[in-house]
Amino acid sequence: MTRLGWSILVLVLVAAASFASMLSLGGASERRVSVARLIPPKPHRLRRFDHDALLAVPVSGVARASIADSWGDAREGGKRTHHGTDIMATGGAPVSAVAAGTVEKLYNDARGGISLYERSADRRWIYYYAHLKGYVQGLHEGQAVRAGDPLGFVGDTGDAGRGNFHLHFGLTRMNPDQHWWQGEDVNPYPMLTGRR
């Protein structure tokens, strides 16, 4: 037999021995474990509403029952949809933290106006408070807050419209390593009212 023939024979024997060892060694349970190792685990899927606690109402004097679900309402003549819950209130009404967390970003832009991003204690959520009149004195980025701690005041800044006083409250599902502007928007209405 030639060298090429011997090489092919050795490769065939090694392959056959490897295949036989997977099939014949060990009991049935060991074979199941071996096969299970070949199948990658399914990625973890979060339920649509997986926030594990009812959030505090962020505007002083507003009852849960009076909050309307405005998620998905048309904005800018139908060019976009609303990703939050608008909580109507008197201008200047106190706004407080819905849960424990950290003030991640104080921000001001044309759409949200004076706004605040709070990261939950487990870093899986961003609570977004927009159209504020202003912040409470001394509030700063990196500050730890508890549910009910004062953050600011209801306003009409950004694209809210002059005299249209309300708090736009948003909720974003996050990976712990994502930044405050990333993540997946989630309808906050069920977590504010307990209704789905």
Side-chain angles (χ1 to χ4, degrees), residues 74-196:
R75 294 291 190 265
E76 296 177 12
K79 292 180 184 174
R80 64 181 179 91
T81 59
H82 190 237
H83 284 201
T85 296
D86 285 343
I87 302 172
M88 308 313 288
T90 305
V95 173
S96 57
V98 295
T102 303
V103 176
E104 183 130 333
K105 185 70 176 173
L106 301 177
Y107 198 67
N108 191 348
D109 72 347
R111 187 173 281 171
I114 298 170
S115 54
L116 181 151
Y117 294 81
E118 176 195 351
R119 172 88 66 157
S120 66
D122 64 6
R123 299 191 53 78
R124 292 177 41 226
W125 298 95
I126 286 284
Y127 310 119
Y128 174 59
Y129 310 80
H131 306 310
L132 299 172
K133 178 179 180 179
Y135 308 115
V136 295
Q137 187 173 6
L139 189 75
H140 59 86
E141 291 177 6
Q143 179 176 337
V145 294
R146 295 173 296 174
D149 281 355
L151 300 174
F153 307 94
V154 170
D156 60 356
T157 59
D159 67 1
R162 188 177 176 94
N164 184 20
F165 297 107
H166 69 281
L167 174 72
H168 169 96
F169 180 76
L171 181 65
T172 306
R173 180 185 290 122
M174 309 291 289
N175 290 326
D177 58 339
Q178 287 181 308
H179 299 287
W180 58 271
W181 67 88
Q182 298 173 314
E184 174 193 358
D185 292 336
V186 174
N187 185 354
Y189 177 78
M191 280 66 84
L192 289 170
T193 65
R195 297 183 295 232
R196 303 227 181 241

Side-chain angles (χ1 to χ4, degrees), residues 36-42:
R37 288 184 187 147
L38 299 176
I39 301 170
K42 291 182 179 178

Side-chain angles (χ1 to χ4, degrees), residues 14-88:
V14 169
S18 296
F19 183 72
S21 69
M22 288 191 319
L23 295 178
S24 63
L25 295 179
S29 64
E30 288 182 20
R31 282 196 298 272
R32 278 195 299 270
V33 170
S34 297
V35 171
R37 288 184 187 147
L38 299 176
I39 301 170
K42 291 182 179 178
H44 176 65
R45 298 285 302 176
L46 296 171
R47 292 176 296 153
R48 180 177 164 102
F49 303 113
D50 64 344
H51 197 283
D52 48 7
L54 193 63
L55 298 172
V57 175
V59 181
S60 180
V62 172
R64 285 187 198 282
S66 69
I67 298 173
D69 189 0
S70 55
W71 178 268
D73 289 354
R75 294 291 190 265
E76 296 177 12
K79 292 180 184 174
R80 64 181 179 91
T81 59
H82 190 237
H83 284 201
T85 296
D86 285 343
I87 302 172
M88 308 313 288

